[in-house]
Amino acid sequence: MPRFCANLGFLFTEVPFLDRFERAARAGFTGVEYMSPYDYPAAELARRLRDNGLQQVLFNLPSGDWATGERGLAALPGREAEFRDGVERAIDYACELGCTQVNALAGVPRPGLRPQEIRLTLLGNLRHAASRLAEAGIRLLVEPINSRIDMPGFCIDTPKKALSLIESVAEPNLWLQYDVYHAQIMEGNLARTLEANLERIAHIQVADVPGRHEPGSGEINYPYLFALLDRLGYAGWVGCEYRPQAGSEAGLGWLKGVAPAPAMPRAEALAAG
């Protein structure tokens, strides 16, 4: 079955952020992802990863002022210099954390901008980021996010749009981040999309619909999709980016039927030895 990593922005939120690394490891995860590392020193995050035997799987490029509604900078005309500075900052963090892929959120352009201006800005920024990150050995991902519920106005809101964008950017280091939750809301046709485009998909995230809760809580047939990923030979990570219905640990029961038994936590392993 796929390798599952814990999204620390969604799971183990019962404790402060830096304590979530230990919670993830104790739950059997070997990888973690989260939106933004930039509020913490990279050395401290690296220590948490190392102390808990975790791999940093993914984080985002700087996404602007989240508190005021910004949801990424890549498609915002006039913010190109800030976007490029963010690429350099992400490279510094990725190198410190041993992370080999980062995600670029396209953003919510302000009303009144011409679509062509938005598109040219997005193409230029992604070409720059893909090339610069390739020099550092880091993949650039782009993620479509649904504009119906979670991010109204988000300019790349379907896998179809994201795949077209990847083709237009024409950089080998640009990949699709496929979030099953967002894709189901906007397009559906999940299995066929995975089958047709797996060679461009570098990372997958999961949550069920409706509610964005754990797999098995809604309408998506996740056992079928996970088995399909195995048949297709998907070798990447699957990020658990969902809101637990009844606590993080309690909400992990769905993993028992689809994933190998987690490794014994380090403390128990030492005691057993």
Side-chain angles (χ1 to χ4, degrees):
M1 274 293 164
R3 295 179 296 166
F4 294 96
C5 64
N7 188 301
L8 300 187
F10 283 72
L11 300 184
F12 311 109
T13 57
E14 300 87 348
V15 299
F17 179 76
L18 291 176
D19 295 335
R20 296 174 198 172
F21 292 83
E22 181 181 4
R23 286 289 186 96
R26 289 164 101 185
F29 289 101
T30 58
V32 294
E33 63 177 30
Y34 39 83
M35 186 176 74
S36 173
Y38 309 108
D39 289 337
Y40 303 92
E44 176 61 22
L45 296 174
R47 184 179 73 80
R48 300 280 174 156
L49 292 167
R50 184 173 58 251
D51 288 352
N52 292 288
L54 294 169
Q55 179 177 338
Q56 182 71 50
V57 174
L58 176 77
F59 59 82
N60 290 354
L61 294 177
S63 302
D65 189 344
W66 202 266
T68 64
E70 290 186 338
R71 296 296 184 264
L73 301 174
L76 305 190
R79 306 284 290 277
E80 291 86 352
E82 185 178 350
F83 177 84
R84 293 189 176 206
D85 287 345
V87 171
E88 297 306 313
R89 193 176 185 197
I91 289 172
D92 290 342
Y93 268 81
C95 290
E96 181 77 19
L97 302 180
C99 185
T100 59
Q101 54 187 16
V102 298
N103 177 43
L105 293 180
V108 180
R110 67 180 184 273
L113 290 172
R114 293 181 293 112
Q116 182 67 4
E117 183 180 9
I118 295 170
R119 181 169 177 79
L120 288 175
T121 299
L122 183 56
L123 290 173
N125 279 334
L126 292 181
R127 283 173 182 148
H128 168 80
S131 176
R132 181 70 187 91
L133 288 162
E135 295 172 3
I138 302 165
R139 282 179 167 180
L140 176 64
L141 282 55
V142 62
E143 179 186 14
I145 296 178
N146 84 81
S147 58
R148 292 177 180 163
I149 299 172
D150 291 83
M151 290 191 186
F154 196 81
C155 67
I156 302 297
D157 58 357
T158 69
K160 184 177 180 180
K161 288 181 182 178
L163 288 162
S164 176
L165 176 65
I166 289 170
E167 184 176 354
S168 296
V169 171
E171 284 282 347
N173 193 39
L174 181 60
W175 305 77
L176 176 64
Q177 179 171 315
Y178 189 76
D179 188 306
V180 176
Y181 164 79
H182 294 303
Q184 174 70 355
I185 290 172
M186 296 301 295
E187 285 185 347
N189 203 25
L190 303 173
R192 178 63 186 137
T193 302
L194 289 167
E195 288 172 341
N197 300 288
L198 196 68
E199 74 280 356
R200 294 309 306 162
I201 295 174
H203 189 67
I204 293 172
Q205 292 176 323
V206 296
D208 221 324
V209 177
R212 205 172 188 176
H213 301 307
E214 52 263 44
S217 64
E219 67 191 24
I220 300 174
N221 187 346
Y222 271 111
Y224 175 85
L225 289 181
F226 294 145
L228 174 64
L229 291 176
D230 274 353
R231 292 198 302 272
L232 295 175
Y234 176 67
W237 290 86
V238 173
C240 299
E241 191 185 51
Y242 62 81
R243 301 184 183 100
Q245 288 182 303
S248 297
E249 283 84 358
L252 292 174
W254 65 273
L255 273 169
K256 294 178 182 178
V258 298
M264 185 182 296
R266 179 176 299 177
E268 295 181 20
L270 290 174

